[in-house]
Amino acid sequence: MEASRGLEIEKKYDVDTAAGVPALEQAPGVARTGKPHTDLLEAVYFDTPKHGLAARRITLRRRTGGKDAGWHLKLPPQAAAAGEGPQHRTELHAPLGRPDVVPDSLLTHLHAYLRGTVPAPVVRLETRRTTYPLYGEDGVHLADLADDHVTAVRLEDGPDAPRQEWREWELELVHGDPGLFGPVEELLTAAGARHAGHASKLARALGSGTKAGKRSAAAGGAVPAGGEAPGSAGGSESSPGLLAGKRAPAAAVVTVYVAAQIDQILASDADVRNEEPDAVHAMRSATRRIRSVLAAYSRLYRASPVRKLRSELKWLGQLLGQPRDAEVLGKQLREQLGALPPGEGIAAATASVEQRTGSDYDAAYRLLREALESARYFRLLDKLEDFRDNPPVRAEAVTPGRRAAAKAVDKAAKRLRRSHKAIKRARRGREEELALHRVRKDAKRLRHVAEAAALVHGKRAGKVVKAAHRQQKILGRFQDAVVARDLLAAVAADFSDPATAAIYAELLNQQEERMLAAKAGSRKAWKKSRDLLGHGVI
């Protein structure tokens, strides 16, 4: 059974026991406050022995009482402003089930964080919650203010563990707009509320002495500032305080960029396991970005750890590439077959292509799933996070970020220029195809290196990103046609009837036309960007 999914948008406040809940209907936009109701909630939180989930601001609990009793998994917050903005968290629900067995529908989202360990109970919370619903003029349920009196016990400390007690307020949107937080917060602050010092009740219960508590306190109950790194799905939640200003050292620029890609790998893990659309592409792209940047800035780091990390990322990227390539190829050929006029041979050709690409995809995905359950994959995730948290920087490698980024982009651009020159020397056929494939790979590397440089060089680096991406995209179509041509030639050899052979001949002709068009497009794009990608790129 799949878990239900929702988005939780809330802000937390610490408050003294004697504080009174203010008249919330005085906030602009709030017409009235509904009748408060009280629930008694009991929740058991699960984590690893080292609190690996809490350290990443993930909470897994089984809660009884209230209207949403069941298993709850809250994934890391997506966005907030340095301890003051509302948290946006994806929350997954599953039925109560057994009290000691985490539902598989939730576990699939945790493998990248558990890494082979089994979550166990760590904290029990008892909460007396009084909820005050807020309504707008039109009767819309805008938000709820939860007034929580909490008692917590750390189960790891045994039967004589001390009880912790505190009070907090949570303001959570229901159907209201985030603009509601400002005016309501003014009332809460006037009544004695303070921004919460911890991201969750679990983090507070675990205490500031634990890794989870320290991470939560550093974050101040919100996602750290820093914004999005180029080429990422969001800021680096797992790396509080990572910022890359224009005066940042080169290693800091690399760390911020790599941290965003690590977050992408971790966020994509569950979707890859569930075969969600584009999940493999997202994870594969993140591995490539890290490899490109580590290669470009290798002189900043000790050679051995970076070499090993790039090797393991290559291993993972190849495993991700096989099902992705089969998926793209199958989609491309289905579209081309579907565009042909009806006639004899279409059905046989379609069935053969579907069987071949489908079996390739299934076999590749089986290997990928096995890899994602392996100790080798989990060690790679450990090494990535260790690189982010403890970069193996050479003692003498204290280089200004802007200078190092400019040199890295120039070097990557020079590499691309050499690849373009090699096309002219290549013989037509397979040698030329390999030369064009090299241009595509070098354009991709330049794109990734320029993305990292954009953290300190802004718009100029952004222009390089766009120019390199154009090259990569056009030659990606060329490479797709090459792969399709080779597969079609192999499949066509199994058919002798004229109708099916004619279909394959037409498809093969289309691949040649696509290759010619892509070559022409690549030359045009290169002429357009040659000046930009010349010497002294940024």
Side-chain angles (χ1 to χ4, degrees), residues 179-334:
L180 182 68
F181 282 106
V184 174
E185 182 173 291
E186 290 185 13
L187 295 174
L188 299 179
T189 302
R194 306 172 299 279
H195 289 295
H198 294 82
S200 66
K201 292 180 175 67
L202 173 62
R204 179 161 183 169
L206 290 174
S208 60
T210 66
K211 183 179 179 181
K214 290 176 181 177
R215 282 274 179 92
S216 176
V223 177
E228 294 190 5
S232 74
S236 175
E237 164 54 28
S238 54
S239 307
L242 287 180
L243 297 171
K246 290 193 174 183
R247 296 184 179 180
V253 175
V254 175
T255 300
V256 170
Y257 185 79
V258 168
Q261 310 316 317
I262 295 172
D263 288 344
Q264 181 64 70
I265 291 172
L266 296 174
S268 300
D269 180 274
D271 288 341
V272 171
R273 295 172 190 272
N274 292 330
E275 292 191 53
E276 295 292 339
D278 291 327
V280 168
H281 175 63
M283 184 184 280
R284 185 190 189 190
S285 295
T287 65
R288 284 174 163 175
R289 284 183 163 96
I290 298 174
R291 287 183 63 213
S292 295
V293 170
L294 290 184
Y297 291 90
S298 60
R299 293 186 179 181
L300 295 176
Y301 304 99
R302 298 195 305 275
S304 179
V306 169
R307 183 175 60 251
K308 292 176 181 177
L309 190 54
R310 291 189 67 225
S311 176
E312 291 300 279
L313 285 166
K314 183 177 181 180
W315 163 75
L316 177 58
Q318 289 173 337
L319 285 164
L320 291 162
Q322 291 168 8
R324 173 62 179 175
D325 291 346
E327 180 184 34
V328 170
L329 180 59
K331 180 181 178 182
Q332 174 187 326
L333 292 177
R334 277 194 299 273

Side-chain angles (χ1 to χ4, degrees), residues 440-495:
R440 174 175 174 252
K441 291 171 68 174
D442 288 342
K444 189 180 299 182
R445 174 181 284 198
L446 173 58
R447 175 191 172 192
H448 297 159
V449 174
E451 284 174 352
L455 292 166
V456 288
H457 280 283
K459 292 182 179 179
R460 179 69 178 179
K463 291 180 180 179
V464 176
V465 171
K466 290 180 181 178
H469 189 208
R470 279 195 298 269
Q471 288 276 301
Q472 174 194 335
K473 191 172 182 179
I474 292 168
L475 290 176
R477 293 196 291 268
F478 179 88
Q479 183 64 19
D480 289 345
V482 170
V483 174
R485 180 202 62 192
D486 293 346
L487 180 137
L488 289 168
V491 174
D494 296 332
F495 288 87

Side-chain angles (χ1 to χ4, degrees), residues 108-139:
T108 192
H109 294 271
L110 293 173
H111 290 301
Y113 307 102
L114 295 173
R115 298 174 195 173
T117 61
V118 178
V122 293
V123 167
R124 176 180 286 108
L125 289 181
E126 295 177 357
T127 303
R128 181 166 59 83
R129 167 169 290 180
T130 301
T131 303
Y132 298 80
L134 281 62
Y135 296 94
E137 290 285 355
D138 49 6

Side-chain angles (χ1 to χ4, degrees), residues 6 10 113 127 131 179 252 256 277 302 372 381 413 452 506 513 528:
E10 68 175 17
Y113 307 102
T127 303
T131 303
V256 170
R302 298 195 305 275
L372 295 184
L381 297 182
E506 172 58 26
E513 291 176 352
K528 185 176 180 180

